[in-house]
Tab-separated table of all heavy atoms in Angstrom:
chain	number	residue	atom	x	y	z
A	1335	ILE	N	-93.964	102.519	124.767
A	1335	ILE	CA	-94.072	101.447	123.719
A	1335	ILE	C	-94.713	101.907	122.494
A	1335	ILE	O	-94.283	101.581	121.364
A	1335	ILE	CB	-94.743	100.250	124.326
A	1335	ILE	CG1	-93.880	99.609	125.443
A	1335	ILE	CG2	-95.092	99.204	123.286
A	1335	ILE	CD1	-94.535	98.428	126.206
A	1336	PRO	N	-95.804	102.727	122.532
A	1336	PRO	CA	-96.477	103.175	121.293
A	1336	PRO	C	-95.488	103.957	120.355
A	1336	PRO	O	-95.516	103.792	119.148
A	1336	PRO	CB	-97.603	104.092	121.755
A	1336	PRO	CG	-97.952	103.526	123.100
A	1336	PRO	CD	-96.640	103.121	123.694
A	1337	ALA	N	-94.630	104.722	120.949
A	1337	ALA	CA	-93.675	105.508	120.082
A	1337	ALA	C	-92.652	104.578	119.500
A	1337	ALA	O	-92.352	104.710	118.330
A	1337	ALA	CB	-92.954	106.577	120.980
A	1338	ALA	N	-92.160	103.646	120.231
A	1338	ALA	CA	-91.174	102.661	119.699
A	1338	ALA	C	-91.862	101.852	118.642
A	1338	ALA	O	-91.202	101.559	117.563
A	1338	ALA	CB	-90.658	101.740	120.853
A	1339	ALA	N	-93.074	101.412	118.789
A	1339	ALA	CA	-93.790	100.641	117.817
A	1339	ALA	C	-93.939	101.469	116.551
A	1339	ALA	O	-93.807	100.942	115.402
A	1339	ALA	CB	-95.095	100.181	118.386
A	1340	ALA	N	-94.272	102.756	116.647
A	1340	ALA	CA	-94.507	103.599	115.515
A	1340	ALA	C	-93.173	103.819	114.716
A	1340	ALA	O	-93.180	103.797	113.524
A	1340	ALA	CB	-95.078	104.987	115.936
A	1341	MET	N	-92.064	103.970	115.457
A	1341	MET	CA	-90.770	104.172	114.765
A	1341	MET	C	-90.411	102.868	113.989
A	1341	MET	O	-89.944	102.944	112.860
A	1341	MET	CB	-89.734	104.600	115.753
A	1341	MET	CG	-88.307	104.686	115.248
A	1341	MET	SD	-88.194	105.984	113.851
A	1341	MET	CE	-88.205	107.460	114.847
A	1342	LEU	N	-90.555	101.714	114.732
A	1342	LEU	CA	-90.250	100.485	114.046
A	1342	LEU	C	-91.138	100.221	112.872
A	1342	LEU	O	-90.678	99.692	111.829
A	1342	LEU	CB	-90.310	99.362	115.092
A	1342	LEU	CG	-89.844	97.949	114.608
A	1342	LEU	CD1	-88.364	97.953	114.146
A	1342	LEU	CD2	-90.035	96.938	115.717
A	1343	ALA	N	-92.392	100.553	112.974
A	1343	ALA	CA	-93.344	100.360	111.878
A	1343	ALA	C	-92.975	101.213	110.725
A	1343	ALA	O	-93.063	100.816	109.543
A	1343	ALA	CB	-94.785	100.683	112.350
A	1344	THR	N	-92.468	102.424	111.017
A	1344	THR	CA	-92.048	103.294	109.901
A	1344	THR	C	-90.893	102.665	109.153
A	1344	THR	O	-90.832	102.636	107.907
A	1344	THR	CB	-91.611	104.674	110.419
A	1344	THR	OG1	-92.722	105.259	111.124
A	1344	THR	CG2	-91.111	105.615	109.310
A	1345	PHE	N	-89.870	102.181	109.862
A	1345	PHE	CA	-88.727	101.494	109.272
A	1345	PHE	C	-89.179	100.368	108.384
A	1345	PHE	O	-88.821	100.225	107.222
A	1345	PHE	CB	-87.730	101.109	110.292
A	1345	PHE	CG	-86.541	100.394	109.716
A	1345	PHE	CD1	-85.416	101.183	109.396
A	1345	PHE	CD2	-86.497	99.041	109.501
A	1345	PHE	CE1	-84.287	100.583	108.851
A	1345	PHE	CE2	-85.411	98.449	108.956
A	1345	PHE	CZ	-84.302	99.172	108.621
A	1346	LEU	N	-90.039	99.462	108.941
A	1346	LEU	CA	-90.456	98.326	108.220
A	1346	LEU	C	-91.383	98.681	107.046
A	1346	LEU	O	-91.277	98.033	106.037
A	1346	LEU	CB	-91.250	97.346	109.171
A	1346	LEU	CG	-90.365	96.759	110.296
A	1346	LEU	CD1	-91.268	95.920	111.205
A	1346	LEU	CD2	-89.289	95.862	109.715
A	1347	ALA	N	-92.201	99.690	107.171
A	1347	ALA	CA	-93.026	100.086	106.061
A	1347	ALA	C	-92.210	100.542	104.839
A	1347	ALA	O	-92.564	100.313	103.751
A	1347	ALA	CB	-93.973	101.223	106.520
A	1348	VAL	N	-91.112	101.228	105.188
A	1348	VAL	CA	-90.236	101.659	104.030
A	1348	VAL	C	-89.421	100.438	103.493
A	1348	VAL	O	-89.411	100.185	102.248
A	1348	VAL	CB	-89.215	102.766	104.503
A	1348	VAL	CG1	-88.245	103.091	103.434
A	1348	VAL	CG2	-89.999	104.033	104.920
A	1349	PHE	N	-88.792	99.716	104.388
A	1349	PHE	CA	-87.857	98.650	103.959
A	1349	PHE	C	-88.650	97.536	103.209
A	1349	PHE	O	-88.205	97.111	102.108
A	1349	PHE	CB	-87.217	98.072	105.169
A	1349	PHE	CG	-86.087	97.120	104.893
A	1349	PHE	CD1	-84.737	97.556	104.867
A	1349	PHE	CD2	-86.308	95.759	104.555
A	1349	PHE	CE1	-83.718	96.690	104.562
A	1349	PHE	CE2	-85.288	94.898	104.225
A	1349	PHE	CZ	-84.008	95.364	104.258
A	1350	VAL	N	-89.763	97.046	103.766
A	1350	VAL	CA	-90.464	95.955	103.154
A	1350	VAL	C	-91.141	96.331	101.856
A	1350	VAL	O	-90.988	95.578	100.846
A	1350	VAL	CB	-91.521	95.419	104.136
A	1350	VAL	CG1	-92.358	94.299	103.552
A	1350	VAL	CG2	-90.823	94.868	105.417
A	1351	THR	N	-91.783	97.477	101.838
A	1351	THR	CA	-92.439	97.836	100.568
A	1351	THR	C	-91.500	98.073	99.384
A	1351	THR	O	-91.739	97.670	98.274
A	1351	THR	CB	-93.294	99.163	100.756
A	1351	THR	OG1	-92.459	100.176	101.313
A	1351	THR	CG2	-94.455	98.870	101.645
A	1352	VAL	N	-90.309	98.674	99.720
A	1352	VAL	CA	-89.292	98.869	98.676
A	1352	VAL	C	-88.671	97.487	98.283
A	1352	VAL	O	-88.441	97.202	97.101
A	1352	VAL	CB	-88.199	99.816	99.132
A	1352	VAL	CG1	-87.048	99.812	98.130
A	1352	VAL	CG2	-88.779	101.199	99.282
A	1353	ALA	N	-88.467	96.611	99.245
A	1353	ALA	CA	-87.807	95.324	99.010
A	1353	ALA	C	-88.674	94.399	98.148
A	1353	ALA	O	-88.210	93.658	97.263
A	1353	ALA	CB	-87.459	94.640	100.344
A	1354	ILE	N	-90.000	94.417	98.344
A	1354	ILE	CA	-90.891	93.454	97.691
A	1354	ILE	C	-91.407	93.991	96.323
A	1354	ILE	O	-92.014	93.204	95.638
A	1354	ILE	CB	-92.049	92.996	98.562
A	1354	ILE	CG1	-92.982	94.190	98.844
A	1354	ILE	CG2	-91.569	92.417	99.856
A	1354	ILE	CD1	-94.208	93.809	99.626
A	1355	ARG	N	-91.182	95.237	96.071
A	1355	ARG	CA	-91.715	95.784	94.800
A	1355	ARG	C	-90.983	95.115	93.665
A	1355	ARG	O	-89.742	95.019	93.623
A	1355	ARG	CB	-91.458	97.285	94.736
A	1355	ARG	CG	-92.321	97.840	93.591
A	1355	ARG	CD	-91.783	99.195	93.042
A	1355	ARG	NE	-92.436	99.447	91.790
A	1355	ARG	CZ	-92.046	100.295	90.890
A	1355	ARG	NH1	-90.889	100.897	91.100
A	1355	ARG	NH2	-92.691	100.506	89.765
A	1356	LYS	N	-91.721	94.671	92.634
A	1356	LYS	CA	-91.154	94.074	91.463
A	1356	LYS	C	-90.573	95.098	90.570
A	1356	LYS	O	-91.268	95.970	90.071
A	1356	LYS	CB	-92.180	93.184	90.734
A	1356	LYS	CG	-92.585	91.966	91.560
A	1356	LYS	CD	-93.545	91.072	90.754
A	1356	LYS	CE	-93.907	89.832	91.561
A	1356	LYS	NZ	-94.871	88.958	90.795
A	1357	ILE	N	-89.274	95.026	90.273
A	1357	ILE	CA	-88.546	95.990	89.383
A	1357	ILE	C	-87.791	95.226	88.308
A	1357	ILE	O	-87.035	94.333	88.683
A	1357	ILE	CB	-87.619	96.883	90.247
A	1357	ILE	CG1	-88.376	97.719	91.195
A	1357	ILE	CG2	-86.819	97.803	89.267
A	1357	ILE	CD1	-87.512	98.587	92.070
A	1358	GLY	N	-88.060	95.483	87.111
A	1358	GLY	CA	-87.340	94.799	85.999
A	1358	GLY	C	-86.162	95.498	85.515
A	1358	GLY	O	-85.268	94.919	84.827
A	1359	ASP	N	-85.950	96.829	85.842
A	1359	ASP	CA	-84.852	97.625	85.381
A	1359	ASP	C	-83.630	97.335	86.183
A	1359	ASP	O	-83.643	97.420	87.428
A	1359	ASP	CB	-85.272	99.102	85.418
A	1359	ASP	CG	-84.221	99.946	84.804
A	1359	ASP	OD1	-84.226	100.148	83.557
A	1359	ASP	OD2	-83.333	100.466	85.509
A	1360	ALA	N	-82.520	97.042	85.509
A	1360	ALA	CA	-81.263	96.718	86.220
A	1360	ALA	C	-80.677	97.852	87.016
A	1360	ALA	O	-80.231	97.707	88.178
A	1360	ALA	CB	-80.193	96.224	85.244
A	1361	LYS	N	-80.854	99.102	86.526
A	1361	LYS	CA	-80.290	100.238	87.209
A	1361	LYS	C	-81.157	100.522	88.536
A	1361	LYS	O	-80.541	100.694	89.596
A	1361	LYS	CB	-80.356	101.460	86.368
A	1361	LYS	CG	-79.855	102.741	87.023
A	1361	LYS	CD	-79.742	103.872	86.107
A	1361	LYS	CE	-79.218	105.131	86.754
A	1361	LYS	NZ	-78.963	106.243	85.861
A	1362	LEU	N	-82.433	100.403	88.393
A	1362	LEU	CA	-83.271	100.637	89.598
A	1362	LEU	C	-83.004	99.547	90.634
A	1362	LEU	O	-83.026	99.761	91.873
A	1362	LEU	CB	-84.772	100.657	89.185
A	1362	LEU	CG	-85.244	101.848	88.430
A	1362	LEU	CD1	-86.742	101.732	88.175
A	1362	LEU	CD2	-84.968	103.141	89.258
A	1363	ASN	N	-82.773	98.283	90.185
A	1363	ASN	CA	-82.459	97.198	91.115
A	1363	ASN	C	-81.156	97.456	91.841
A	1363	ASN	O	-81.041	97.189	93.026
A	1363	ASN	CB	-82.344	95.893	90.347
A	1363	ASN	CG	-83.726	95.145	90.370
A	1363	ASN	OD1	-84.269	94.906	91.375
A	1363	ASN	ND2	-84.190	94.793	89.167
A	1364	ALA	N	-80.156	98.010	91.125
A	1364	ALA	CA	-78.864	98.297	91.741
A	1364	ALA	C	-79.065	99.431	92.804
A	1364	ALA	O	-78.581	99.355	93.914
A	1364	ALA	CB	-77.868	98.779	90.683
A	1365	TYR	N	-79.841	100.489	92.440
A	1365	TYR	CA	-80.095	101.590	93.368
A	1365	TYR	C	-80.866	101.063	94.604
A	1365	TYR	O	-80.606	101.488	95.753
A	1365	TYR	CB	-80.860	102.674	92.702
A	1365	TYR	CG	-80.070	103.623	91.814
A	1365	TYR	CD1	-78.961	103.151	91.111
A	1365	TYR	CD2	-80.289	104.988	91.777
A	1365	TYR	CE1	-78.206	103.959	90.301
A	1365	TYR	CE2	-79.530	105.785	90.957
A	1365	TYR	CZ	-78.498	105.259	90.225
A	1365	TYR	OH	-77.705	106.144	89.435
A	1366	ARG	N	-81.790	100.149	94.376
A	1366	ARG	CA	-82.591	99.618	95.493
A	1366	ARG	C	-81.692	98.821	96.394
A	1366	ARG	O	-81.817	98.948	97.664
A	1366	ARG	CB	-83.723	98.726	94.964
A	1366	ARG	CG	-84.420	97.938	96.108
A	1366	ARG	CD	-85.655	97.278	95.681
A	1366	ARG	NE	-85.467	96.232	94.625
A	1366	ARG	CZ	-86.446	95.517	94.172
A	1366	ARG	NH1	-87.684	95.733	94.549
A	1366	ARG	NH2	-86.167	94.616	93.255
A	1367	LEU	N	-80.805	98.039	95.855
A	1367	LEU	CA	-79.887	97.267	96.698
A	1367	LEU	C	-79.035	98.132	97.586
A	1367	LEU	O	-78.836	97.909	98.800
A	1367	LEU	CB	-78.957	96.365	95.861
A	1367	LEU	CG	-77.987	95.497	96.643
A	1367	LEU	CD1	-78.648	94.563	97.616
A	1367	LEU	CD2	-77.027	94.744	95.664
A	1368	GLY	N	-78.502	99.221	96.965
A	1368	GLY	CA	-77.708	100.203	97.814
A	1368	GLY	C	-78.509	100.851	98.924
A	1368	GLY	O	-78.028	100.975	100.033
A	1369	PHE	N	-79.733	101.220	98.615
A	1369	PHE	CA	-80.656	101.866	99.598
A	1369	PHE	C	-80.903	100.812	100.746
A	1369	PHE	O	-80.798	101.240	101.920
A	1369	PHE	CB	-81.906	102.312	98.900
A	1369	PHE	CG	-83.023	102.701	99.824
A	1369	PHE	CD1	-82.881	103.883	100.606
A	1369	PHE	CD2	-84.170	101.970	99.996
A	1369	PHE	CE1	-83.829	104.284	101.486
A	1369	PHE	CE2	-85.188	102.374	100.894
A	1369	PHE	CZ	-85.031	103.554	101.601
A	1370	LEU	N	-81.308	99.620	100.421
A	1370	LEU	CA	-81.659	98.664	101.450
A	1370	LEU	C	-80.441	98.269	102.263
A	1370	LEU	O	-80.548	97.960	103.460
A	1370	LEU	CB	-82.298	97.427	100.832
A	1370	LEU	CG	-83.656	97.699	100.141
A	1370	LEU	CD1	-84.188	96.392	99.524
A	1370	LEU	CD2	-84.653	98.216	101.138
A	1371	ALA	N	-79.260	98.144	101.627
A	1371	ALA	CA	-78.067	97.873	102.338
A	1371	ALA	C	-77.757	98.944	103.430
A	1371	ALA	O	-77.418	98.638	104.554
A	1371	ALA	CB	-76.899	97.721	101.431
A	1372	SER	N	-77.972	100.194	103.079
A	1372	SER	CA	-77.781	101.280	103.963
A	1372	SER	C	-78.762	101.234	105.172
A	1372	SER	O	-78.381	101.392	106.309
A	1372	SER	CB	-77.942	102.668	103.259
A	1372	SER	OG	-77.762	103.711	104.130
A	1373	LEU	N	-80.045	100.983	104.882
A	1373	LEU	CA	-80.995	100.840	105.945
A	1373	LEU	C	-80.719	99.657	106.863
A	1373	LEU	O	-80.943	99.707	108.051
A	1373	LEU	CB	-82.447	100.708	105.337
A	1373	LEU	CG	-83.018	101.914	104.710
A	1373	LEU	CD1	-84.549	101.728	104.471
A	1373	LEU	CD2	-82.816	103.164	105.509
A	1374	THR	N	-80.179	98.563	106.267
A	1374	THR	CA	-79.814	97.421	107.072
A	1374	THR	C	-78.732	97.843	108.100
A	1374	THR	O	-78.730	97.350	109.244
A	1374	THR	CB	-79.286	96.282	106.136
A	1374	THR	OG1	-80.372	95.901	105.318
A	1374	THR	CG2	-78.844	95.075	107.001
A	1375	SER	N	-77.767	98.569	107.633
A	1375	SER	CA	-76.715	99.065	108.497
A	1375	SER	C	-77.305	99.850	109.649
A	1375	SER	O	-76.950	99.654	110.849
A	1375	SER	CB	-75.690	99.854	107.719
A	1375	SER	OG	-74.696	100.437	108.625
A	1376	PHE	N	-78.095	100.812	109.354
A	1376	PHE	CA	-78.766	101.634	110.377
A	1376	PHE	C	-79.570	100.792	111.425
A	1376	PHE	O	-79.487	101.033	112.591
A	1376	PHE	CB	-79.736	102.659	109.792
A	1376	PHE	CG	-79.020	103.961	109.299
A	1376	PHE	CD1	-79.094	104.318	107.977
A	1376	PHE	CD2	-78.480	104.757	110.258
A	1376	PHE	CE1	-78.489	105.501	107.585
A	1376	PHE	CE2	-77.859	105.965	109.846
A	1376	PHE	CZ	-77.880	106.328	108.465
A	1377	PHE	N	-80.261	99.777	110.923
A	1377	PHE	CA	-81.064	98.963	111.773
A	1377	PHE	C	-80.203	98.136	112.716
A	1377	PHE	O	-80.501	98.153	113.908
A	1377	PHE	CB	-81.914	97.994	110.940
A	1377	PHE	CG	-82.795	97.079	111.739
A	1377	PHE	CD1	-83.962	97.555	112.272
A	1377	PHE	CD2	-82.465	95.800	111.956
A	1377	PHE	CE1	-84.746	96.716	113.070
A	1377	PHE	CE2	-83.202	94.931	112.712
A	1377	PHE	CZ	-84.382	95.407	113.284
A	1378	LEU	N	-79.163	97.515	112.222
A	1378	LEU	CA	-78.327	96.677	113.094
A	1378	LEU	C	-77.576	97.554	114.104
A	1378	LEU	O	-77.498	97.191	115.279
A	1378	LEU	CB	-77.380	95.850	112.197
A	1378	LEU	CG	-78.049	94.752	111.320
A	1378	LEU	CD1	-76.985	94.101	110.526
A	1378	LEU	CD2	-78.778	93.744	112.206
A	1379	VAL	N	-76.994	98.616	113.611
A	1379	VAL	CA	-76.182	99.490	114.465
A	1379	VAL	C	-77.086	100.102	115.600
A	1379	VAL	O	-76.624	100.294	116.698
A	1379	VAL	CB	-75.437	100.540	113.632
A	1379	VAL	CG1	-74.703	101.502	114.531
A	1379	VAL	CG2	-74.479	99.884	112.669
C-alpha cells in the first residue's frame, strides 16, 4: 500500500498543482489543457 499511495500521490501532485495554477496566457492555457487531457487518459486507462 505505501508504494501505491506514493505513486497515486505523485500523479495527483502533478495533476492538481498544474490544474489549479492561475494562467492568463491563452497559449499556456491551451498547452495545459492538452497536458491534463493526456494525464486523464492515462489515469482512467
Side-chain angles (χ1 to χ4, degrees):
I1335 294 176
M1341 176 60 76
L1342 185 59
T1344 300
F1345 180 90
L1346 293 176
V1348 174
F1349 191 97
V1350 174
T1351 53
V1352 171
I1354 66 175
R1355 193 205 168 199
K1356 293 185 178 180
I1357 297 177
D1359 186 85
K1361 179 173 183 176
L1362 288 181
N1363 267 308
Y1365 280 37
R1366 172 169 63 179
L1367 178 60
F1369 170 69
L1370 294 179
S1372 179
L1373 290 193
T1374 299
S1375 176
F1376 274 118
F1377 179 78
L1378 293 177
V1379 175

